[in-house]
Amino acid sequence: MSVTAHMTIGGKAVFADETVSVANPARLSTEVGRYPAGTVEHAEMAVEAASAAFPQWRSTPVEERAALLVKAGALIADARPEWVELLTAENGKPLGESVVEIAMGGHAIVTYGSHPEWVGDRVVDDEQGRMVVRRQPLGVCVGIVPWNSPMILSSLKIGPALLAGNTLVIKVPEFGPLTTMQALAEIAALLPPGVLNVVSGLGPEVGRALVTHPKVRKVAFTGSTETGRLIMADAAGHLARLTLELGGNDAAVLLDDVDLSEATIARLVTGTFLDAGQICIDIKRLYVHDSRYDELVDKLRTAVDQLVVGDGARPEVTMGPINNSRQYEKVTKLLAETKEAGADCLQLGTYAEGTDVDNGYFMLPHLVLNPPDDMSIVANEQMSPILPIMKFSSDEEALARANSTEYGLGASVWSADEQRAFAIADRMEAGMTFINGHSLGALHPATPAGGTKQSGCGYEISAEAVDGYIQLQSITTKTYA
């Protein structure tokens, strides 16, 4: 049955003259549902609704805002079976990964609602007088989320923005927004009208209208570095604040004393191929000490070969398809270029029995053995189930090569000696560096998630994320002699 989604503006369901069809990336001939092709006018309606709701929401005691967030997060964290099935159908990821995404999104909102003290004031009383530093909301904020993990990434904007007393407009992705639109409509219904608004449509039209709107005080965007640059330029026109979580080309460095146990190999596989490698903090480059290279490749090849690719709704499938046509064309072209350049590419894994490869955006996992660092598969973020594995001979060499990129989102160091690993991690040019783990499974819930260099600015988890949605106001009573 095809699902019809709607936008949510000012607490009401809003439709558009035209709709966009969402195909199942594992069965392209199957329509999962349709969503409204929003316009500039819808973007303006959403901003105006958020602006009208702001005075009341900011004056609502933070404890009451927090309690509503806890309730909203709990609504999502249950990961209803119908939402899980819909997310898998429109996104492609296996059912288990859909459960994790939805539940993590809900728990993230609950976490913010559990910490009203993150919006607390600071008071100074001394011989010079009394000063109160108020942590005030900014006003209307916009969150723009991508197609790979829309439930989690919407939640990481909703939690801090609303806790701080802002109102919010979420722009859902062009590909696979149905589950997110349904879930956020239910959250919006728990809140005063206009506090949370949800719009859909194309980024260059609806997204740009939101970013350039003079009433928007903050834009939080997750997506590519190229789009992030455009958003930064557009937001500069009215000096809107920014949180940008952009591209990553995450390096994993395996030292000569790394424990290559079955558990470690499993963490490497998960850290690389979760969501078919389409997560910004998945491993994109793997550097291994030359004394352990052959052992690592042998064990990793065996483990990756166990992956079963197909429709994520099937229980035996452990890796789904690429999410959309644009990404599929990009990564298939990248793989072809890698092979044409003479790289040693190992195609691994199997398709689930009965998989119609021509009716989905499928790609089997690949390992690329010891390509040069200037090859595109190594130098650029690929967001795909293709992993280049390179040799190094010293810790300093590995560190230099890992850092030799314009990106700086995530990284990891793997060693039996955690103190040694920490010393190297301390010099990694990445906003999030893991030890003996990588990607979502290694992410501490209190991590200030964000990148360095051209991987972005600002944070999307923890108290530091709330800071990005707050402006300080000092109120002083001076003591005069």
Side-chain angles (χ1 to χ4, degrees):
M1 181 182 294
S2 181
V3 170
T4 300
H6 61 77
M7 295 182 282
T8 302
I9 300 175
K12 298 179 181 179
V14 175
F15 298 87
D17 293 338
E18 298 181 1
T19 59
V20 179
S21 176
V22 178
N24 186 326
R27 286 180 279 119
L28 296 176
S29 57
T30 301
E31 181 181 84
V32 179
R34 305 187 76 88
Y35 67 89
T39 63
V40 170
E41 289 73 23
H42 291 114
E44 292 175 348
M45 286 171 56
V47 172
E48 292 299 332
S51 179
F54 175 61
Q56 177 187 349
W57 184 246
R58 74 167 292 174
S59 65
T60 302
V62 64
E63 292 78 12
E64 294 182 22
R65 299 197 301 261
L68 284 170
L69 285 174
V70 169
K71 187 176 180 180
L75 177 74
I76 302 300
D78 283 343
R80 297 179 196 170
E82 62 267 27
W83 285 350
V84 171
E85 293 170 7
L86 180 58
L87 184 59
T88 288
E90 64 176 333
N91 182 281
K93 63 184 64 181
L95 292 169
E97 292 184 20
S98 292
V99 170
V100 170
E101 178 180 343
I102 296 170
M104 283 185 69
H107 289 309
I109 295 175
V110 170
T111 297
Y112 284 106
S114 302
H115 291 283
E117 73 277 4
W118 287 350
V119 191
D121 297 337
R122 179 167 64 93
V123 179
V124 176
D125 276 309
D126 57 24
E127 66 280 358
Q128 299 185 67
R130 178 182 177 84
M131 180 186 69
V132 179
V133 180
R134 299 296 314 280
R135 292 167 64 78
Q136 303 279 26
L138 301 171
V140 178
C141 299
V142 165
I144 302 176
V145 299
W147 48 261
N148 58 342
S149 299
M151 289 291 291
I152 292 176
L153 295 169
S154 293
S155 297
L156 294 181
K157 294 163 179 58
I158 291 169
L162 301 193
L163 180 68
N166 304 284
T167 52
L168 184 64
V169 181
I170 290 286
K171 159 70 173 64
V172 295
E174 175 184 349
F175 301 107
L178 303 172
T179 313
T180 306
M181 296 179 79
Q182 285 192 356
L184 298 195
E186 295 203 20
I187 291 180
L190 296 174
L191 304 167
V195 170
L196 175 62
N197 307 274
V198 184
V199 296
S200 54
L202 298 180
E205 182 179 4
V206 177
R208 191 162 193 264
L210 292 171
V211 172
T212 57
H213 198 292
K215 288 187 178 180
V216 170
R217 306 300 183 200
K218 158 95 179 191
V219 177
F221 168 75
T222 305
S224 71
T225 296
E226 293 75 18
T227 304
R229 293 190 188 103
L230 297 176
I231 288 175
M232 178 174 276
D234 282 341
H238 57 294
L239 297 180
R241 296 192 186 187
L242 292 170
T243 293
L244 302 175
E245 198 260 88
L246 307 177
N249 193 7
D250 288 22
V253 174
L254 277 60
L255 304 183
D256 56 3
D257 65 346
V258 61
D259 168 26
L260 292 180
S261 64
E262 185 176 336
T264 297
I265 298 299
R267 288 198 297 274
L268 285 168
V269 172
T270 300
T272 302
F273 298 101
L274 189 67
D275 198 8
Q278 299 173 110
I279 295 178
C280 53
I281 56 169
D282 276 352
I283 299 170
K284 309 295 193 305
R285 300 174 289 151
L286 203 157
Y287 294 94
V288 189
H289 191 272
D290 52 16
S291 66
R292 308 297 300 278
Y293 187 86
D294 291 341
E295 179 187 1
L296 179 280
V297 169
D298 286 344
K299 291 184 175 181
L300 198 57
R301 173 166 39 194
T302 299
V304 173
D305 204 36
Q306 302 307 306
L307 293 176
V308 178
V309 178
D311 186 339
R314 298 176 60 173
E316 73 271 25
V317 167
T318 53
M319 193 179 88
I322 303 299
N323 175 270
N324 59 77
S325 58
R326 189 182 305 160
Q327 185 66 12
Y328 180 72
E329 290 169 5
K330 174 185 172 182
V331 299
T332 51
K333 179 181 178 182
L334 178 63
L335 180 60
E337 291 174 348
T338 303
K339 292 178 177 179
E340 289 170 7
D344 186 1
C345 298
L346 301 179
Q347 177 175 288
L348 302 168
T350 56
Y351 286 115
E353 185 177 352
T355 297
D356 184 354
V357 177
D358 295 328
N359 192 32
Y361 298 129
F362 296 111
M363 174 179 281
L364 289 170
H366 287 73
L367 303 181
V368 184
L369 303 186
N370 208 33
D373 285 359
D374 60 357
M375 187 173 283
S376 183
I377 190 65
V378 182
N380 299 304
E381 179 190 34
Q382 68 268 35
M383 290 280 282
S384 73
I386 309 171
L387 177 66
I389 309 174
M390 287 73 65
K391 300 178 182 180
F392 69 87
S393 58
S394 71
D395 292 358
E396 290 300 318
E397 177 197 344
L399 185 64
R401 292 169 69 186
N403 287 340
S404 63
T405 173
E406 65 179 9
Y407 300 107
L409 188 58
S412 59
V413 183
W414 303 66
S415 170
D417 183 343
E418 286 194 5
Q419 190 171 14
R420 178 187 176 195
F422 190 94
I424 294 176
D426 187 52
R427 299 166 61 196
M428 282 283 197
E429 295 172 358
M432 296 168 283
T433 304
F434 310 104
I435 293 177
N436 293 326
H438 205 117
S439 198
L440 294 182
L443 197 64
H444 191 283
T447 297
T452 63
K453 299 190 281 190
Q454 294 194 41
S455 286
C457 58
Y459 302 97
E460 288 230 289
I461 304 178
S462 75
E464 288 82 0
V466 179
D467 291 342
Y469 290 87
I470 279 174
Q471 56 192 352
L472 300 181
Q473 176 192 27
S474 62
I475 304 174
T476 304
T477 301
K478 176 71 174 176
T479 297
Y480 293 94

